[in-house]
Amino acid sequence: MTDLLIGGSWRPAADGAEFTTFDPADGSVLGTCAKAGAADVDLAVAAARTAFDDPAWAEMPAHTRARLLWRVADLVEEHGEELAELETRDNGQPLAVARTVTVPGTAEHFRYFAGWCTKIEGSVLPVAYPDTLHYTRREPVGVCALITPWNFPLMIAAWKLAPALACGNTVIIKPAEQTPLTTVKLAQLIGRAGFPPGVVNLLTGGAATGAALAEHPDVDKVSFTGSTAVGRTLVHYSAGNLKRLTLELGGKAPSIIAADADIDAAVAGNVQGALFNSGQVCAAYARFYVDRKRADEFTSKMAAAAAALRLGPGLDPDTQLGPLISEEHRASVDGHVSLATAQGATLVTGGDRVDRPGFFYRPTVFADVTDEMSIAQDEVFGPVVPVLAYDDPDELVARANGLEYGLAASIWTDDLSTAHRLAARIRAGAVFINMIHVPDAATTWGGYRASGWGREMGPYAIDAYTEVKGVWTHLGKP
Ligand code: ADP
């Protein structure tokens, strides 16, 4: 059983509650974790508040904070193999993904934000009042609740922890109930890095734990990655004390394949763009607008490439596609697929569960999809590729922008002017031209419209985790 981390000590939930986490590759029980209730949330928030006000953290020199973050990165790498295996067991992702994306991405995030600690600057602004000096200070927001999803648990924890700590906040992290184990391990490593007690607190639990944090009057900020529906709920919860919110929510990224695109390269890139982590990626390419002249060729090659992927447990070195996270989620994906067929889409490959233990679903390609069909509109978060055709490139922007989401988009073309004209007009937080979606600590991640509020990563994360204060000084005689 894993415990909660509150104020530097590990302890069970106050009421002794627990929950179970499963291996999605075979449905077996992986472990149990303490389930934090309202009393634990109160204690963790109080511990984070005490640590925030304690000079040991509040007055720690920036370069010392930087060293602590750098040390976390080193510890993540030292324990990389253990973290990778744990992530694969708890989340299902192929071990190669855990080793080459999850663990290095986590370590690099801590290193990137270690560099920021000493560069969080204010500025001197030329105000109009005579004899007046005005400067700005960037100060930490305060106690931050970090609520993460199950699709990339360790990496997304790092996306939030590293900038929050770099800016001098104190945090309570709450991983998703499906995948808590690597975040527990990360919290242990952070403890070893030498942060003062109470700077990083960990609460495992489900929606009720997250809700208690999001409603808490002494939490100053919530940073959340998850569904748009829960994001909307958090907006309501935050109203009590008007806490700050960063929301990274759902998506339905369009991928546009122009007539001049190299179709083989587009297929290779879009198979990854759509099916990486079994499609359980918020930026996954999830609706494909293909020039009608190339649509049949693209569809048949995508279907062949998708059907050729080797499904299996993430720990098997031959596996290219792991299971979905849970039976409940697999049933949801299957429901989207059945509806697509009922609404007239043509099933080209897949469309069914795999007959083996675990929550496997065959990669699925649909042809003859139209904009009105649910499969072209709803976020499936699974291995499903709906192909739509277009005749007139001028209609593309309206179709790509036609949903409430705006997280990511992709364009495949050899024509630079087509690529950059479309990139400017598509309403999304990231546009990938002739490449798959990738996050990078140095640049922005986040969405337009119902895909969220604010941005993570890069200098934008510093905005998300600081308040700006103006300081005015009258220089003349009083
Ligand atoms: P998904 O639909 O992909 O499971 P969710 O948005 O439900 O994603 O969950 C993402 C994270 O939000 C998880 O840590 C989950 O426990 C948490 N969560 C779910 N519901 C709520 C809620 N009402 N308030 C706060 N956190 C929540």
Side-chain angles (χ1 to χ4, degrees), residues 147-150 174-178 205-212 214 224-228 230-231 233-234 237 381:
I147 302 177
T148 56
W150 47 257
K174 196 212 76 72
E177 55 275 35
Q178 297 86 348
T209 312
F224 170 79
T225 300
S227 60
T228 292
V230 172
T233 309
L234 296 186
Y237 290 161
F381 221 65

Side-chain angles (χ1 to χ4, degrees), residues 70-434:
W70 196 273
R71 179 81 186 116
V72 175
D74 287 346
L75 285 165
V76 165
E77 282 175 348
E78 280 168 33
H79 293 263
E81 196 51 29
E82 184 187 347
L83 284 165
E85 272 195 29
L86 200 56
E87 193 78 318
T88 291
R89 284 181 196 280
D90 210 7
N91 162 270
Q93 63 189 237
L95 191 53
V97 170
R99 282 181 177 147
T100 61
V101 178
T102 292
V103 170
T106 301
E108 282 315 318
H109 234 80
F110 280 99
R111 289 217 175 87
Y112 174 82
F113 283 102
W116 264 106
C117 294
T118 47
K119 295 159 199 77
I120 299 173
E121 299 169 340
S123 45
V124 177
L125 300 173
V127 291
Y129 297 91
D131 291 333
T132 304
L133 168 66
H134 181 279
Y135 63 91
T136 59
R137 290 166 49 83
R138 280 191 179 267
E139 299 180 351
V141 180
V143 172
C144 300
L146 313 177
I147 302 177
T148 56
W150 47 257
N151 62 334
F152 274 98
L154 183 65
M155 208 165 59
I156 295 178
W159 293 0
K160 299 185 188 305
L161 281 164
L165 296 171
C167 294
N169 298 281
T170 57
V171 306
I172 301 134
I173 183 147
K174 196 212 76 72
E177 55 275 35
Q178 297 86 348
T179 54
L181 298 181
T182 48
T183 308
V184 173
K185 181 74 200 169
L186 181 62
Q188 290 167 357
L189 297 177
I190 288 173
R192 282 176 47 194
F195 286 86
V199 171
V200 176
N201 304 276
L202 162 86
L203 295 180
T204 43
T209 312
L213 279 167
E215 286 185 303
H216 202 288
D218 205 27
V219 168
D220 298 302
K221 175 181 174 93
V222 171
S223 175
F224 170 79
T225 300
S227 60
T228 292
V230 172
R232 288 196 166 101
T233 309
L234 296 186
V235 172
H236 290 286
Y237 290 161
S238 68
N241 66 339
L242 287 170
K243 56 177 65 70
R244 274 73 181 114
L245 283 181
T246 299
L247 302 173
E248 204 261 87
L249 308 176
K252 182 79 174 175
S255 183
I256 294 168
I257 294 94
D260 65 12
D262 173 339
I263 291 291
D264 291 331
V267 166
N270 280 292
V271 163
Q272 283 301 314
L275 303 177
F276 180 66
N277 209 30
S278 303
Q280 301 170 125
V281 178
C282 47
Y285 303 162
R287 47 192 171 118
F288 296 80
Y289 296 94
V290 188
D291 188 296
R292 197 176 299 279
K293 295 188 278 300
R294 312 297 299 273
D296 287 348
E297 179 191 0
F298 177 82
T299 307
S300 59
K301 287 183 171 173
M302 275 295 277
L309 292 172
R310 288 186 302 274
L311 267 73
L315 289 179
D316 180 339
D318 288 335
T319 291
Q320 293 173 302
L321 213 59
L324 299 178
I325 190 68
S326 63
E327 182 53 48
E328 186 192 6
H329 185 51
R330 181 165 70 165
S332 157
V333 170
D334 195 50
H336 287 287
V337 166
S338 304
L339 186 57
T341 310
Q343 290 182 344
T346 306
L347 181 65
V348 185
T349 188
D352 53 355
R353 295 167 162 85
V354 181
D355 187 18
R356 60 179 294 165
F359 313 127
F360 292 89
Y361 201 83
R362 231 176 278 289
T364 301
V365 176
F366 281 110
D368 307 319
V369 177
T370 56
D371 291 313
E372 309 71 50
M373 292 181 188
S374 305
I375 201 71
Q377 299 190 10
D378 298 341
E379 185 179 38
V380 176
F381 221 65
V384 181
V385 174
V387 181
L388 301 88
Y390 73 86
D391 296 299
D392 177 2
D394 289 337
E395 74 191 35
L396 270 176
V397 173
R399 292 175 73 185
N401 289 339
L403 303 185
E404 66 169 352
Y405 297 116
L407 189 63
S410 178
I411 302 163
W412 299 79
T413 176
D414 275 355
D415 181 341
L416 275 178
S417 78
T418 302
H420 292 292
R421 265 190 296 115
L422 282 172
R425 294 177 66 198
I426 288 176
R427 307 277 296 157
V431 178
F432 299 94
I433 299 169
N434 294 333

